[in-house]
Amino acid sequence: MANWKGIDFAGDLARVVRHMPEVETYRESLQTLQAVWDNLTVLGQMSGTGTEITGMRAAFAQLTGTLLNSLATESRRKVAEDLSARAQVSIDILVRNLFERTADIGFLATDSDLCAYAEAASRGGAQDEGEHRRIVERFREYVAKYSVYADILLLDRCGKVLCQLDETHPVAHSADPLLHDALSSEGAYVEYFGPTDLRPGGPALIYAWRVCPADRSEAVGVLCLVFRFQNECERIFRNLCSDDDWAVITLLDAEGVVMASSDPWQVPVGAPLDADAAAPSRLLRFAGREYLAATRATRGYQGYFGPGWKGHVMIPIEYAFETPTARALENIPPTLLGRVMDSPALFSEALQLIPRQAEAIQRELNRAVWNGNVRQSCGQRRAAQGINASFSKTLLWEISNTGVRTKDIFERSIANLHETVVSTILRDCAARAGLAIDIMDRNLYERANDCRWWALSTAIQTVLTQSPAEAAARLTPILSTINGLYTVYSNLILFDATGQVMAVSAEGDASLVGRVLGDEWVARTLALDSPQAYCVSPFMPTPLYGGHPTYIYCAAVRDPVRSHRVVGGIAIVFDSAPQLATMLADCLPETTAGAPHEGVAVFVGPDGLVIASAGADAPAVGSRLELPTEYFDLAPGASCSGIVAHAGRLHAAAACMSAGYREYKGPDDAYRNDVLALVLVPLTDAGDDTIEREPRPVRSGVVRHLEGAPGEVRVELATFHIGGSWYGMHSSDIVESIDVQRVTSLPGLPAHVRGCVMYEGDPIMVVDLRDYVHGEGAGTPSQIVIVRGATNGQRLGLLVDELGEIPEVPVSLIQPVAGLFQGSASLVDSIVKTDGGQGGELLLLLSADKLSARLGDTSSVTAE
């Protein structure tokens, strides 16, 4: 424990709590009230009111420490979760992208045109300028589809650059060890990040592999793909940062050195950082400033974990706990929001106990003040000690007020925290929905690229143009090799200009060869007018995917000589079921089974039809999601969030519509497919009273002093609430109030007699008037008021829900009701017109003698 301004905080919270504005505000308010408590305690002891509040003052002080620790812990946890989530997303998004690059280099290095060009150069002959331009144009065609690359270089075994795409930064020769690694490695690719003579001017991320002609075992050169690393990092950072965001997102290498930064002026590239990926968050000192930081290693994708890099997010500690303007809850009905706030699943047990503990302390305080007022009213101590009655009354009211103000701070702080937690969950849902659709767009961007590039394969074009009869034998190995590198496809299918299947990659689908495809997308494919064009099937069941729904991406295969002539097409069958489900699962919160925040993520069309889903109790593919229309009627890139009822529970919900990635679905892309990601996180059960539940009514009774005629005689009344109604008695008829304790039941008594309690050594009968007064069952008895008959002095315990005020009432406002009520209602002796007879709620005065006579003597009580 460490102390901060008089409050003990657990762990290192004392170092960060000073930067939590809301916690500091509540600390100041509560400590100010604590000083008031100290003064009231002293005044109470001096005044002789008989109201001992020392224990309650200490209880409030202890609860203050618990509250502030809980608020600080929750505030830190909220920030830590945000930092951790963004660190995880930053590295996982990048690793998914790099996984595609490992497949690209493996396939492009086997391109027959590149192999032939490198082989010719290896023989030492003069380079043909026309062939050189053709290879450069082929590189350009590749980057037109895969715009993630900044440069492509083809080198011979000795490091001489045979061909390069980027003519603005020409490289003639390279001595980079990367070339040796590519020629000698037994892997499928070489991945390198750092300074290189292949890309002068700074570190570069390069994927390299040896070029081997099909008929030779020895490599004739090396192909290098230069990834647009900084450009991609900027895109990732832009999606994870807002304009007013103080957080800095960085990527760290295996040694913890910054490789890319969203704010290089604050955290420059090359800076070493503490890269502890095990801690959820930690305090970090950097460049003379203190930060709250989180570091995350990638969860990998398709078994690929990248070069060992980490995502790292850090925020200056003085800005970490600034609460953004929360608008997430503005359009949620208060009753619905109240239902969520009551959910015990969202908040820690310690936090849930605080309002109940404050309520218990306040109840005891109210009873102490109420009893003190009763004693003052009865004059039990006034005459003996010469106490100033007015001062004593004022002191007691101030004690009560201070308790109410203290309890109010507890309630407001917890309520504000509840709203912050729910608002944070909604923002988190929106971020996860945005992440899911971004991952989908990025993934399908690659699919659109793949089909177009493979359609440009000279080997495929030549066979379909010149030797269609040999297509199956010659092209099946090529397709199988491609499919082995690109594992996200269930099958690659080549068909000719009539739609007849010529070759497939999946051995189990060999029976498709020779079959004519009649799907509408076949005709669209054969009608594509340029190598940049592609088409996609609707997401629907197809026999090409075992009768399950999927996307099929297609591009036209053209005559290698007469490029305007289409000789067939390539259809790549996306393995949608596992791929889409994995995308969604990676976007859900990491929780154990049955945890309160375990959620559901779905890809869904604007018609509500589920395309894919993940999570416990996720809706089935093909089912329709019944949610408000605003979750589906979204513009590209737009989002929506709120609280919805789904499957018998209230959920935080967020939807985000696809906006594409780079060129995919961009302004120049003819393909349009409105798909949205929707994330649902359960909050609480949705009972029948979710919308209809009314807020708890405010009790009447705040009437300390009622106006009457000047000099008019006044009497003091002790009031309380039973069954939703407001009752009172003359203070002289009240002994005191005690807390509800174990009531011993007795056989053979009427239903309204609950039993007896021991009071000052004597058994006192306890009765419940709610049946008598036809109460609605509102409230739970929390006090026992001991009353005494004026005539016979018999004491009786009365169960009440709450204690009220003890007002001074002019006798002119008290109206007898003799003969007005019959039967059980005759327990009422008179009424008080608290608003001067303007139709407000009445204060019903009970008669102590009637209570004693009718209820105290059980032998004379009959069932009413």
Side-chain angles (χ1 to χ4, degrees), residues 16 120 146 193 204 318 328 358 411 424 428 520 600 612 649 734 836 861:
V16 298
Y146 299 91
F193 179 81
E318 64 266 32
E411 291 177 345
T424 300
D428 182 62
E520 57 83 23
V600 170
R649 306 183 76 182
I734 303 292
V861 175

Side-chain angles (χ1 to χ4, degrees), residues 559-816:
D559 187 310
V561 178
R562 295 176 293 172
S563 59
H564 64 279
R565 177 172 174 253
V566 174
V567 296
I570 182 169
I572 56 179
V573 183
F574 185 52
D575 194 8
S576 63
Q579 295 301 321
L580 295 179
T582 299
M583 295 178 202
L584 293 169
D586 286 350
C587 298
L588 287 174
E590 292 184 5
T591 56
T592 56
H597 295 323
E598 187 176 9
V600 170
V602 297
F603 289 129
V604 63
D607 56 357
L609 204 64
V610 175
I611 293 172
S613 62
D617 301 322
V621 174
S623 64
R624 195 172 299 278
L625 206 57
E626 299 295 339
L627 292 177
T629 56
E630 59 262 29
Y631 286 89
F632 304 108
D633 188 16
L634 296 171
S639 61
C640 174
S641 64
I643 296 177
V644 299
H646 172 70
R649 306 183 76 182
L650 290 179
H651 290 72
C656 186
M657 181 64 77
S658 167
Y661 170 67
R662 293 186 180 268
E663 302 79 23
Y664 179 67
K665 294 187 183 180
D668 298 327
D669 190 349
Y671 177 56
R672 288 291 178 269
N673 179 36
D674 289 338
V675 175
L676 57 91
L678 202 148
V679 174
L680 297 165
V681 173
L683 300 174
T684 186
D685 291 337
D688 295 336
D689 61 343
T690 296
I691 304 298
E692 293 76 16
R693 191 184 63 150
E694 295 296 331
R696 183 180 179 183
V698 177
R699 294 293 193 188
S700 302
V702 185
V703 286
R704 291 184 188 171
H705 185 81
L706 295 178
E707 295 296 332
E712 185 177 0
V713 176
R714 298 172 177 272
V715 295
E716 288 188 330
L717 305 175
T719 70
F720 40 82
H721 299 272
I722 303 175
S725 297
W726 187 24
Y727 294 92
M729 297 180 67
H730 287 272
S731 295
S732 57
D733 293 333
I734 303 292
V735 179
E736 69 171 328
S737 172
I738 61 175
D739 196 11
V740 167
Q741 51 191 279
R742 183 179 179 84
V743 177
T744 303
S745 60
L746 300 173
L749 295 177
H752 66 269
V753 180
R754 297 293 184 251
C756 67
V757 296
M758 295 301 295
Y759 178 74
E760 295 182 346
D762 296 324
I764 301 293
M765 185 181 303
V766 177
V767 299
D768 188 348
L769 292 185
R770 285 181 297 175
D771 291 339
Y772 261 79
V773 299
H774 305 293
E776 300 174 355
T780 300
S782 64
Q783 314 279 340
I784 299 176
V785 173
I786 308 297
V787 303
R788 178 175 46 219
T791 303
N792 57 18
Q794 183 177 358
R795 294 185 297 190
L796 188 69
L798 198 61
L799 283 172
V800 303
D801 300 337
E802 294 179 42
L803 298 174
E805 300 271 359
I806 301 184
E808 293 181 345
V809 178
V811 294
S812 63
L813 298 181
I814 301 175
Q815 178 179 336

